[in-house]
Amino acid sequence: MNVLIVHAHPEAKSFTAALASLARQTLQAQGHQVQTSDLYAMQWNPVASAADFSERENSDYLVYALEQRLAVKNSSLAVDIRQELDKLLWADLLILNFPLYWFSVPAMLKGWIDRVLVSGICYGGKRFYDQGGLSGKKALVSLTLGGREHMFGDGAIHGPLQDMLRPLLRGTLAYVGFEVLAPFVAWHVPYISDEARGEFLRRYAERLQHLDDEQPLEFPKLAQFDEALKPIADVSPSSP
């Protein structure tokens, strides 16, 4: 299996970085091929702009997704995007590894998503969900956060973590066709003991060794909808 780990944390000695390193070592030990994109170390540019295209269909008005499609046809994507897109297309499994910032992903990772999940390849028209351009691949989110587990859930102070991750798990990964595995969450990591951090690492390593046994989360399939994308009466869309 080919694995791409996209890691987004500014501190190389962070626990989030330890998760990325553990994933690489564990998967390589199983015989998998692993590439890592360490976005901060790469000084990745997260800003989607007209500079991402060496040719433009409309030089007066930027419609980013439309220009992506033209750039795919004309091989005019920026070099850094093309390099990351090649890694993504090579991978059978994508791991997004990051700390939760403001109920969301870090801006660095959001910029990777904006620029690398290219219209015309990853999605476009009715190429989404199970018909997305990256169908047949799997995705796993591994994240750290400062809150305690009891702070998240129905009736909890912050509400369900699933609500915060919905734009990523459904609106991004499932949308472009990934089979999305349940996220791995390391809770309260800035404040816990080394022994507790070690237990998270042990549990993550154990999980990485059995990913093939996991069932992905359920998301809508196009067969559940008609040509106008209205639900078919006798088929209920799935939700995570």
Side-chain angles (χ1 to χ4, degrees), residues 38-49:
D38 184 337
L39 300 184
Y40 284 91
M42 294 161 56
Q43 297 185 331
W44 171 258
N45 173 20
V47 180
S49 72

Side-chain angles (χ1 to χ4, degrees), residues 52-57 64-78 81-82 85 89 118-125 127:
D52 291 341
F53 314 107
S54 60
E55 298 178 25
R56 292 273 301 278
E57 183 171 6
Y64 193 80
L66 296 181
E67 295 295 346
Q68 283 183 321
R69 296 179 197 177
L70 176 69
V72 167
K73 295 178 182 178
N74 295 348
S75 300
S76 57
L77 280 171
I81 297 175
R82 185 72 248 183
L85 182 59
L89 297 177
V118 172
S119 179
I121 292 181
C122 301
Y123 72 98
R127 296 173 63 216

Side-chain angles (χ1 to χ4, degrees), residues 155-207:
I157 184 67
H158 297 314
L161 182 62
Q162 294 92 329
D163 290 354
M164 303 174 199
L165 296 180
R166 188 175 186 270
L168 178 62
L169 300 182
R170 178 171 180 163
T172 303
L173 297 173
Y175 186 87
V176 296
F178 281 109
E179 294 181 5
V180 183
L181 304 178
F184 179 84
V185 183
W187 307 92
H188 205 45
V189 292
Y191 313 106
I192 59 178
S193 66
D194 288 344
E195 290 76 13
R197 294 189 187 98
E199 176 61 16
F200 277 126
L201 292 173
R202 186 198 65 77
R203 287 166 51 191
Y204 191 38
E206 175 70 16
R207 185 171 172 196

Side-chain angles (χ1 to χ4, degrees), residues 8-28:
H9 196 292
E11 174 52 63
K13 293 179 286 187
S14 66
F15 184 75
T16 309
L19 288 175
S21 178
L22 175 71
R24 181 177 65 253
Q25 295 170 13
T26 302
L27 292 165
Q28 285 178 335

Side-chain angles (χ1 to χ4, degrees), residues 81 92 142 206 215 236:
I81 297 175
D92 303 302
S142 59
E206 175 70 16
Q215 290 297 314
S236 298

